[in-house]
């Protein structure tokens, strides 16, 4: 069932929904871009559908709605320790199909891996309902089709933003009532059907091939280029790594918190243990770790067809040194295609 | 009060994690976090007060919330600091809330030096001390009790002098005193009778008004205001330089002011007087002095009997308003003639001349001075001071070509046995140029509020209460009579008396302020003295090396807890308590209580000291400091409460206050110019009264004393350091480097080594050494080195720099509170005074010993002293306690 | 047309006496932890040969670059330029303490706050600006060597002092394209080029050399 | 919803100073654990880190901790009676069922000994359960020797070589652990198990030396150490390929370890 809704009507709906939900969408933050004079688009709570920056891809993914950049786990006062709590309301999350896939990837790690669900993720995640932002064209740099992340049916509503009004499809009973009575139209969302630049995925079938992938000379090329800032990880929807840190509010404070903050496998400190030993010492080694996680390790662990990467392409856009993940994957795939012949194992695409 | 064992060790235990105890006593299960009720911020009170992290008294606005001081900032209304504070002052909060403050009176348990204590009440503490004092007085005489004070941290110097005078002991001393400031005060008082030119001692007030000063040049001799009084004098000198005032800096170290000077004269430590005499000779030879002023307003034209060294008098006056009449050599008649004060236009006095009268040779003061400086040519000065003649000349010319100007003398020259002569010579240089009481000069008699009897120290010292027979027992008081200007004894003489029992054996030491192990020369000797004593009391804000050897510790107030009056230019300011912690007590009150208890135990003079009628202008002892300040402020119709509310209080307008040419004002009694505050009413460059002082103790001693072994010299002379590096010295072969010491901008005296913010910036003392010397002794930048003198050895971190004179090394004085509970008690690791020299030669007039210009050797050490802290995190355990409630303790 | 606000610091090095009060004033105002400093006073020199020496002091703090490398690399967008003041700020709520900005800063003037485990740097006392006060270091500077204000406002302290000063005496830290905004005035000594790799020395100790 | 990140308090019973930089903390604990497992150990406001159990007994377990990093610095300020916080045990453990009645070779370097100490104590207590134990324990120098009492007992009970890298001392051999591996009579031990714990390079060279001397790679076990923030497969730090050390480790069969590529 679809509706055509003016922005004014939509905002009245928004107000209704806000009683039960906090509503998150990509918003424009003026002047907050990485380059002087540019804006940043990232997720935030909206008060109006006019706040939604729908004409561009958001620089950050919606993951910080369910796995915030920084969240308090425990709070310590001089003589008390408490578990943090969050808002009771549900969460309506406006997201494109690839990002909805991305959150499913996070679910694997946070809810499934190790057979136990993570409390701090789950308490957000179980509140989330998706409002899918229709994405028909994609952008030059994204490759969701290659990653199988272009379509989804996990949404309560889908929305097509227009300059004057919105088309909304409702699939969730909970929202049907609030829309009832508005002008009905025939609207079902469309999806991207072809990547502008498709990505070749590598074939790695056994430990020998994995070893061959590890030993490729291409990784060392990143040593000079990558500055290990970790930006590719933070804009990625599916990067889930975090650090647990304890903080005190000032040097002489008796109050403090145990926090969870995003971490990045591209940072030199990611694998550094107390005492200083680091497992992956060079940017190249870290690039290899990341790329293989995204297009090999994840699938090896969880099985099925899906890779971790959802093809949003944000990492390529973001990299301050213009390093392309897509290039890395394509080069890896090409090299492995060659390797496959060399090591004489069965080829499979 | 219940006895509670408290070990210093517990107070100093460097727990690795802050607040561990509190964290770990927390619950073992977790409750869900509820919205914390942060609540509205409580109101912040802003209270005007004055700093006392050093002696500068800068105006401070303390921000106080719920009784806790949360921020300090400079008070823009302050006439001298103008809204700025230095690092030391800003550290006040960390000093105030230091977890290792002395919080309660403590009594030693266990052996002396074991550093084990139990808490006692104030009543008990005062009673124990008073009983011990009375017992010792009874058995051995009051003079066997000696006291010491110091300028380190919140000094309240004069209560101690008052107590000694009333109790009946002539023996109190300050590690500074003869080594710090007194030589300058003495020389200036005797030669001029107005304020000396010390910037660091808040004189030289001319420099704080750059907008209207006529000053053209400033000589900073052995002083670096940017280090020693950053926010006041340091900033003022910045303003002067920016205005175009030329500066000459005399210092072996390239200090900030030296780096910014027009001429830097790096002088060999201990040779300053030679350089001064070189300046004087150059000024005389080249007739650069203000001839008219010298003739009319100094005593240099007066004739001196070369046999007695006394001035030739035509008439001796019995009227204090009129000076004696002196004889001059009249050029017109070619004969000696009396010169009536202030001048006789009929006479033409010769400046450089001499004559014989009745077979006795007489010379003018000028000629004697000229003869005195005769050997000190530029070349000779350069040779003695390790300088180039051209450079010396350039320095002199920079000063003499840019007049008016001023010469500000610092503490450096006070720290050698040539101390008083340096002050005399420096004054001569400035006064020859006529730099006194004129716009642009440093020596001034600007007006005062009149509330103080002693400059900036309001406690009435009751000097007349000390019986003459007791005064005569003052140790060192015969040889070094200049000390009587501050009613003080001579530290080394007191210590020698303890060690030898001659002429009598002092037995009790009550000390206030600082760490005497770090402040007195030859620290090992101080320890030997301590071992001989019956009883030791230390009152201070923190435990120090010295307190480890004490029997009773008394907790005193930090400056943020103290009430005191301060005079800053034309304003009166209140240093007012903005909070109060634990059972700390203002020292002014401690001494009063001690006197009271002694009175109760039968000390008649102490009992009478509470009798207002009996005490008269010396005032009875007080119950609270407010009483005392109210008394003094009543002189200008103010109360302490009013001053606190209106600080800074402008007691007169700037124009009224800034009075130039005071000496030219007419004395209504005589209708003559009031002249200078000297016996002759002239500037006494030939200081005859030195001779009188040495022979009688007058005018400073309350009664006439036996003469010193030798007369004091009325003119400055150069005394080569006893540990000389010059050719012919035996010692220099084994100890080839000259050591000097001085300040960094983070510490004052022995204070603040326990303040994290200061220590992280300067964790250990650095030995500044020139790269050529470093190479010679195989030392590299960043090496730990031993520095050894005849008296001991210490370590420091070598810092190679071009900015120190070759052949000279520099080190800041230091001690290590973090090793207080170790065998060293914190004073043996890096304390320069382990190296310095407390024995003869002394300055004849005031007994100064040798703190600078000793010989040392330097060699590489394996590493730092054990247990010292160097990393910023090390100092975490000294961070303020997060939530000490401010308690108003009823004592 | 009214220019946007560009708050900068101007430091008159002839007035700086190396007293380090700015460091302590900053620590007091901003609760900067031990071992960390938002502002550091470097000793430059002595250069030359004894006794003909030059030495001056150089307070360094975030240079509020026009092309800030710290903003360009910040992985969470926590480092940003404030449009209303032209300065660079760190949003403490989204800083993950990864130290990328520290590595990107040519002068290593971003510091790690060990208590909060996030990055910290000179924010020109933004909280004091809100109540109309100058940054703590500027306000307290005993030598009155520090000036703060809007470079685009011709009546500001900084514009006035820059206007009065011979441009040959106005310097910046080395610019590798980041365009540092802090201006240093040095008239009497020679400006010794401060190489970026020399500034970062994380040791707090002042040492003459 | 269960919060798997929530630690619970445990009292410190005793603190043993093994060396100046390594202390053993005995902590009250009465749940079952297996040899080789680890805990996430924390001090609120200081931090959390994975620490392996170095011994267990009636109502207690021990952790031996080296003074590196923020948390361990914090731990070193503690006293008996203080509470620390634990969650765990985590990870897999040594398959002692398959060790029983066979020969066991244990090669430990430095603090690596802590990770196998509980296993060794088990066999010292139950000597009959194991055919023979060959222990090579390597330390940097005499000042870094750990578990002196246990080591004495191991010497008495097992074939023990304690060696110092570069130093001679009574009762100690000299040289790296690898130098002593040839003295283990692998050929005579038959179906033996080998456990190797220590720094990464040491584990690598020791493994190679053992194989060269006849050890069966399939019966060799290594214990991995990795940075971890969660220990439950969420934080990502300890992932190697598709493997999470916290979940599938920390103990890996050598043949599996060979496939793990960092």
């Amino acid at each position: 069932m679809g509706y055509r809704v003016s922005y004014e009507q939509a905002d009245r709906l928004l107000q209704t929904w806000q009683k039960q939900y906090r509503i998150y969408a990509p918003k424009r933050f003026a002047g907050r871009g990485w380059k002087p004079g540019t804006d940043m688009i990232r997720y935030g709570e909206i008060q109006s559908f006019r706040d939604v920056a729908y004409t561009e891809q958001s620089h950050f993914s919606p993951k910080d709605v369910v796995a915030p950049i920084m969240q308090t786990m425990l709070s310590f006062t001089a003589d008390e320790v408490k578990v943090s709590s969050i808002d009771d309301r549900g969460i309506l999350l406006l997201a494109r199909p690839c990002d909805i896939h991305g959150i499913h990837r996070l679910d694997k790690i946070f809810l499934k891996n190790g057979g136990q669900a993570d409390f701090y993720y789950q308490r957000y995640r179980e509140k989330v309902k998706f409002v899918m932002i229709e994405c028909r064209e994609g952008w030059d740099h994204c490759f969701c089709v290659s990653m199988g992340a272009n379509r989804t049916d996990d949404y309560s509503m889908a929305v097509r933003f227009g300059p004057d009004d919105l088309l909304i499809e409702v699939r969730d009973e909970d929202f049907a009532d609030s829309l009832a009575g508005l002008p009905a139209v025939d609207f079902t969302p469309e999806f991207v059907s072809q990547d502008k630049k498709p990505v070749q995925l590598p074939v790695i079938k056994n430990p020998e091939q994995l070893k061959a992938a590890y030993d490729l000379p291409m990784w060392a090329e990143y040593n000079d280029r990558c500055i290990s800032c970790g930006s590719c990880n933070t804009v990625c929807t599916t990067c889930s790594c975090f650090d647990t840190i304890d903080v005190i509010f000032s040097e002489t404070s008796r109050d403090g918190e145990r926090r969870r903050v995003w971490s990045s496998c591209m940072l030199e400190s990611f694998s550094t243990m107390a005492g200083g030993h680091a497992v992956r010492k060079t940017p190249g080694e870290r690039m290899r770790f990341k790329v293989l996680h995204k297009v090999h390790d994840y699938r090896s662990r969880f099985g099925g067809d899906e890779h971790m990467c959802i093809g949003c392409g944000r990492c390529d856009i973001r990299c301050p040194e213009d390093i392309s993940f897509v290039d890395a994957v394509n080069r890896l795939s090409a090299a492995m295609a060659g390797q496959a012949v060399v090591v004489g194992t069965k080829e499979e695409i | 009060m219940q006895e509670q064992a408290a070990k210093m060790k517990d107070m100093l235990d460097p727990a690795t994690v802050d607040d561990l105890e509190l964290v770990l006593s927390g619950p073992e299960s977790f409750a869900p976090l509820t919205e914390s009720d942060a609540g509205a911020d409580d109101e912040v009170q802003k209270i005007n007060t004055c700093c006392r992290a050093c002696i500068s008294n800068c105006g401070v606005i303390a921000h106080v919330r719920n009784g806790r001081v949360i921020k300090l900032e400079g008070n823009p209304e302050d006439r001298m600091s103008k809204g700025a504070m230095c690092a030391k002052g800003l550290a006040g909060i960390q000093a105030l809330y230091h977890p290792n403050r002395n919080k309660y009176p403590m009594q030693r348990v266990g052996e002396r030096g074991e550093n084990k204590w139990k808490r006692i009440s104030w009543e008990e503490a005062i009673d124990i001390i008073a009983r011990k004092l009375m017992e010792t007085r009874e058995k051995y005489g009051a003079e066997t009790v000696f006291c010491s004070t110091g300028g380190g941290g919140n000094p309240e110097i004069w209560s101690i002098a008052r107590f000694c005078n009333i109790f009946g002991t002539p023996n109190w001393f300050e590690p500074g005193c003869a080594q710090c400031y007194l030589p300058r005060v003495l020389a200036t008082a005797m030669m001029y009778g107005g304020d000396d030119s010390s910037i660091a001692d808040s004189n030289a007030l001319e420099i704080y008004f750059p907008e209207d000063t006529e000053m053209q040049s400033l000589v900073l001799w052995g002083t670096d205001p940017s280090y020693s009084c950053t926010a006041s004098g340091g900033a003022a000198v910045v303003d002067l330089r920016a205005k175009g005032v030329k500066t000459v800096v005399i210092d072996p170290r390239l200090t900030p002011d030296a780096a910014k000077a027009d001429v830097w004269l790096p002088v060999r430590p201990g040779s300053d007087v030679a350089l001064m005499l070189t300046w004087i000779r150059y000024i005389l030879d080249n007739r650069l002095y203000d001839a008219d002023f010298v003739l009319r307003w100094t005593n240099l034209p007066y004739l001196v009997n070369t046999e007695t060294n006394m001035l030739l008098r035509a008439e001796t006056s019995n009227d204090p308003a009129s000076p004696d009449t002196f004889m001059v050599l009249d050029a017109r008649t070619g004969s000696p003639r009396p010169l009536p004060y202030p001048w006789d236009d009929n006479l033409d006095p010769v400046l450089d001349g001499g004559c014989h009268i009745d077979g006795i040779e007489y010379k003018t003061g000028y000629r004697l001075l000229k003869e005195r400086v005769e050997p000190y040519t530029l070349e000779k000065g350069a040779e003695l001071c390790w300088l180039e003649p051209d450079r010396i000349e350039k320095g002199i010319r920079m000063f003499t070509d840019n007049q008016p100007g001023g010469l500000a003398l610092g503490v450096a020259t006070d720290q050698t046995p040539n101390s008083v002569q340096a002050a005399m010579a420096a004054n001569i240089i400035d006064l020859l140029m006529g730099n006194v009481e004129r716009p642009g000069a440093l020596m001034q008699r600007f007006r005062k509020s009149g509330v103080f009897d002693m400059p900036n120290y309001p406690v009435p010292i009751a000097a007349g209460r000390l019986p003459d027979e007791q005064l005569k027992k003052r140790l060192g008081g015969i040889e070094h009579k200049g000390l009587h200007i501050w009613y003080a004894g001579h530290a080394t003489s007191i210590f020698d008396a303890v060690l030898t029992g001659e002429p009598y054996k002092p037995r009790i030491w009550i000390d206030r302020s600082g760490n005497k192990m770090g402040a007195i020369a030859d620290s090992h000797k101080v320890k030997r003295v301590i071992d001989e004593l019956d009883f030791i009391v230390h009152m201070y804000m923190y435990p120090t090396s010295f307190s480890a050897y004490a029997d009773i510790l008394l907790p005193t107030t930090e400056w943020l807890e103290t009430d005191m009056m301060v005079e800053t230019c034309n304003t009166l300011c209140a240093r007012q308590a903005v909070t109060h912690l634990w059972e700390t007590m203002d020292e002014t009150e401690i001494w009063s209580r001690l006197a009271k208890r002694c009175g109760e135990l039968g000390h008649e003079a102490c009992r009478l000291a509470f009798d207002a009628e009996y005490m008269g202008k010396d005032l009875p002892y007080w119950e609270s400091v407010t009483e005392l300040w109210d008394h003094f402020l009543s002189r200008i119709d103010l109360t302490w409460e009013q001053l606190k509310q209106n600080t800074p209080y402008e007691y007169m307008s700037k124009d009224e206050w800034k009075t130039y040419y005071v000496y030219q004002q007419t004395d209504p009694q005589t209708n003559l110019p009031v002249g200078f505050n000297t016996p002759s009413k002239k500037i006494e460059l030939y200081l005859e009264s030195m001779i009188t002082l040495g022979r009688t103790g007058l005018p400073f001693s309350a009664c006439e004393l036996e003469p010193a072994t030798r007369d004091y010299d009325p003119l400055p002379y150069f005394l080569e350091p006893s540990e000389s590096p010059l050719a012919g010295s035996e010692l220099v072969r084994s100890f080839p480097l000259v050591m000097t010491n001085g300040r960094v901008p983070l510490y004052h005296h022995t204070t603040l080594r326990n303040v994290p913010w200061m220590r992280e910036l300067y964790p250990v003392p650095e030995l500044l050494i020139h790269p050529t010397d470093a190479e010679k002794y195989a030392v590299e930048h960043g090496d730990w080195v031993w520095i050894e003198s005849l008296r001991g050895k210490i370590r420091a971190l070598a810092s190679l720099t071009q900015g120190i004179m070759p052949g000279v090394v520099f080190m800041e004085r230091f001690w290590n509170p973090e090793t207080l509970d170790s065998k060293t008690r914190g004073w043996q690791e890096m304390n320069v005074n382990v190296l310095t020299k407390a024995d003869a030669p002394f300055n004849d007039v005031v007994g100064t010993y040798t703190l600078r210009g000793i010989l040392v050797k330097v060699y590489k050490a394996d590493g730092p002293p054990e247990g010292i802290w160097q990393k910023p995190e090390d100092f975490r355990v000294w961070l303020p306690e997060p939530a000490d409630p401010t308690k108003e303790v009823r004592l | 047309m009214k220019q946007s606000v560009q708050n900068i610091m101007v430091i008159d090095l002839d007035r700086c006496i190396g007293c380090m009060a700015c460091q302590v004033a900053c620590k007091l105002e901003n609760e900067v932890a031990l071992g960390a400093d938002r502002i550091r006073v470097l000793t430059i020199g002595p250069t030359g040969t004894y006794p003909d020496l030059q030495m001056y002091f150089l307070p360094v703090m975030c240079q509020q670059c026009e092309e800030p490398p710290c903003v360009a690399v910040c992985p969470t967008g926590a480092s940003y330029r404030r449009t209303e003041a032209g300065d660079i700020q760190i949003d403490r709520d989204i800083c993950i303490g990864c130290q990328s900005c520290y590595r990107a800063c040519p002068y290593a003037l971003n510091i790690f706050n060990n208590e909060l485990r996030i990055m910290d740097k000179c924010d020109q006392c933004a909280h004091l600006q809100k109540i109309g006060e100058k940054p703590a270091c500027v306000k307290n500077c005993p030598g009155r060597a520090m000036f703060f204000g809007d470079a685009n406002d011709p009546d500001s302290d900084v514009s006035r002092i820059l206007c009065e000063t011979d441009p040959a005496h106005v310097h910046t830290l080395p610019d590798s394209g980041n365009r540092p905004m802090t201006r240093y005035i040095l008239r009497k000594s020679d400006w010794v080029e401060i190489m970026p790799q020399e500034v970062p020395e994380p040791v707090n100790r002042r040492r003459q050399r | 919803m269960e919060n798997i990140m929530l630690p619970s308090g445990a009292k410190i019973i005793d603190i043993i100073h093994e060396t100046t930089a390594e202390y053993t903390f005995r902590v009250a604990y009465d749940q079952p654990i297996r040899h080789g497992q680890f805990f996430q150990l924390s001090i609120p406001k200081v931090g959390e880190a994975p620490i392996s159990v170095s011994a267990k007994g009636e109502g207690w377990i021990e952790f031996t901790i080296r003074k590196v990093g923020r948390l361990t610095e914090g731990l070193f300020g503690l006293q008996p009676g203080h509470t620390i916080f634990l969650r765990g045990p985590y990870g897999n453990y040594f398959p002692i069922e398959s060790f029983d009645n066979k020969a066991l070779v244990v090669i430990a370097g430095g603090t690596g000994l802590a990770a196998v100490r509980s296993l060794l104590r088990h066999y010292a207590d139950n000597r009959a359960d194991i055919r023979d134990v060959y222990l090579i324990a390597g330390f940097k120098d005499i000042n870094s020797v750990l578990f002196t009492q246990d080591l004495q007992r191991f010497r008495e009970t097992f074939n023990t070589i304690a060696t110092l890298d570069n130093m001679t001392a009574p009762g100690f051999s000299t040289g790296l652990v690898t130098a002593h591996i040839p003295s283990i009579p692998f050929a005579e031990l038959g179906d033996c198990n080998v456990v190797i714990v220590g720094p990464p390079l040491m584990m690598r060279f020791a493994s190679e030396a053992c194989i060269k001397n006849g050890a069966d790679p399939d019966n060799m076990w290594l214990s991995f150490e990795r940075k971890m923030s969660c220990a439950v497969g969420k934080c990502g730090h300890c992932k190697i390929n598709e493997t999470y050390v916290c979940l599938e480790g920390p103990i890996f069969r050598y043949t599996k370890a060979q496939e793990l590529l960092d």
Side-chain angles (χ1 to χ4, degrees), chain C residues 19-60:
Chain C
C19 70
M20 293 183 279
C22 52
Q23 283 188 243
V24 182
C26 175
K27 294 206 122 174
L28 179 60
E29 184 64 49
N30 296 300
E31 293 192 20
V32 182
L34 289 180
D37 285 293
R38 291 181 176 194
I39 176 168
R40 298 203 298 274
V41 181
L42 308 178
T43 301
I44 308 302
T47 51
T49 306
Y50 178 92
D52 295 309
L53 302 174
Q54 294 189 21
M55 176 174 76
Y56 67 90
F57 303 98
L58 183 74
V60 291

Side-chain angles (χ1 to χ4, degrees), chain B residues 46 80 111 155 174 476 496 542 616 694 876:
Chain B
K46 295 184 184 181
M80 289 161 78
E111 293 303 305
E174 196 205 339
D496 287 344
Y542 315 94
R876 276 185 79 95

